[in-house]
Structure formats: structure tokens, C-alpha cells
Amino acid sequence: MDYRPPQDPLDILHHDHEILLVNKPSGLLSVPGKGDHLSDCLIARVQEAFPEVLLVHRLDMDTSGVMVFGLTPHAQRHLGLQFEKRQVKKTYVARVWGLMAEKQGDIDLPLIVDWPNRPLQMVDHENGKPAQTEWRVMRHGENETRVRLYPRTGRSHQLRVHMREIGHPILGDPFYAEGPARDFPRLMLHAESLRLRHPDGGKGMTFSVKAPF
């Protein structure tokens, strides 16, 4: 793959003795890919400033937005359990193809990796893992809709596949959009906010960053 990640400086949203929150740019891998040419990634850049940083979750290369890292093994475990138990509230903003007729809705379509075409995912009602997404329309544009997406599960490519399956692929998606819907400078998907409990004391905290599109 032709990998040319953006060279923006680190955008740190929050930093304390247990956790670090960063705004990941679109086009940068969260973790290294296979091969030296895919070694530049967000965690490697963060490690230069915070050598003790530990991975908790990831975002797709093409998605931008809020990512949390642990700075201690305790924080990594604590946050990892919150993600596993679906206690972390995630909000995304997306621009999708077409005008969505309803104001809000739920998508419940099980997903599985499409092995011959991996890393693509696909809907599989027999073997797929449960995947649920809630969506709400923010506003309509010219043959596009801006939506907020609330994933209840954290499957790979979940939002991208779910939106395509209901006929509204995310604009600029190199995997799941076709024709004019694909012809955008980036994937129009942004992890806008994370609500989590702080590993030291359990206080609920929300970290947000506005979509750059």
C-alpha cells in the first residue's frame, strides 16, 4: 500500500499520571503495519514523548479523532475492561452519501471478516459477531447527510459496513464506497468523543475534539 501519513505534530487533548488522550489524524495508522514502510504510526510517535505509553484500543487508519492510551499497566487494564464491557461511550461524526429519510435509527447486523478480501468485513447472519450502531441525523447537505453515530459494539469497520448496508456509505471510504461517494480527499469519519471512567478513582470524564470536515 502507498502509505504517506500526515506529518502533523502530536495533538494532545489530555495528559495526567494515568492516561493520555490524543487526536489521531486521518491517514495515520494507530499501530505499526507489517513491513518497515508501515512502521510510522500514532503509538510510535506518542512513544517518543511518552516511552511508557500502552495501547488500549485503535482507530482505522482513515478515521481521525479521540484515542486514549494508558500510561501505567493499571490504567491499561482498567480502560481495557471498560472497552470490553462496553462501558466506554463513543460518539462519531460522519458525512454519508445520500439524503437519509428518517431522523434516527438503529442498525443491528452481525459482522465477520471477508477472508478472501481481508481486511474487509461483511454481514453474516449465521456466523457473524453481533454489531449494533445507533445513528442520528445532524443535517442534510447536497445529496449527503451529516450524522452522529453511536456504536454499541466495537467490531472492525463496523460503522463503515453498517452505513453502506443501509444504502448510505461514508464519503471517501476506499473500501466500502463506490463512484462519486468514494471521490473525496479522506474518509469522512471522525471519533468525536469518548466518555470513560478515570482509572484513578473512577470519575466519569468526557474528551471531545471537533470534526475537521
Side-chain angles (χ1 to χ4, degrees):
M1 106 180 171
D2 184 19
Y3 181 48
R4 294 197 204 128
Q7 296 304 315
D8 317 16
L10 267 187
D11 183 3
I12 293 170
L13 306 171
H14 173 89
H15 165 228
D16 62 38
H17 62 295
E18 291 271 18
I19 61 174
L20 174 73
L21 285 103
V22 180
N23 179 20
K24 186 186 93 63
S26 174
L28 179 66
L29 289 163
S30 293
V31 296
K34 290 190 174 120
D36 288 347
H37 65 300
L38 300 177
S39 60
D40 185 11
C41 59
L42 186 60
I43 194 162
R45 294 183 184 187
V46 171
Q47 277 167 341
E48 289 176 14
F50 304 92
E52 71 277 24
V53 76
L54 297 162
L55 188 72
V56 173
H57 69 127
R58 31 186 106 180
L59 291 175
D60 291 348
M61 179 182 84
D62 298 315
T63 306
S64 56
V66 184
M67 260 184 85
V68 63
F69 295 91
L71 292 176
T72 65
H74 162 73
Q76 184 188 38
R77 274 194 309 274
H78 197 283
L79 292 166
L81 277 170
Q82 291 183 56
F83 274 92
E84 204 180 298
K85 294 177 176 174
R86 301 181 192 168
Q87 294 166 342
V88 176
K89 295 280 179 281
K90 297 177 269 188
T91 306
Y92 289 75
V93 171
R95 287 168 55 194
V96 303
W97 181 254
L99 300 175
M100 298 185 79
E102 307 293 321
K103 286 196 174 142
Q104 58 190 64
D106 286 292
I107 305 164
D108 188 351
L109 292 170
L111 300 176
I112 195 168
V113 66
D114 181 359
W115 277 106
N117 301 304
R118 60 185 185 276
L120 270 62
Q121 309 289 314
M122 62 182 186
V123 173
D124 183 331
H125 291 282
E126 285 175 18
N127 306 305
K129 291 181 175 170
Q132 292 100 24
T133 303
E134 182 188 341
W135 58 267
R136 291 181 206 159
V137 167
M138 296 166 72
R139 63 176 178 272
H140 293 107
E142 195 176 328
N143 201 31
E144 68 170 74
T145 307
R146 181 179 286 261
V147 289
R148 272 211 172 87
L149 303 173
Y150 306 90
R152 295 206 193 99
T153 50
R155 306 291 172 216
S156 184
H157 293 185
Q158 174 176 319
L159 302 177
R160 299 163 70 165
V161 178
H162 274 178
M163 296 315 290
R164 184 202 55 189
E165 288 295 316
I166 64 165
H168 298 282
I170 297 172
L171 299 179
D173 192 330
F175 290 157
Y176 303 104
E178 291 173 356
R182 187 174 171 169
D183 194 18
F184 284 78
R186 61 157 287 182
L187 174 72
M188 297 295 171
L189 179 63
H190 176 76
E192 179 184 50
S193 77
L194 275 182
R195 179 165 180 79
L196 48 85
R197 285 180 298 109
H198 196 283
D200 184 1
K203 183 185 170 199
M205 301 176 84
T206 303
F207 303 95
S208 305
V209 66
K210 200 169 179 291
F213 50 77

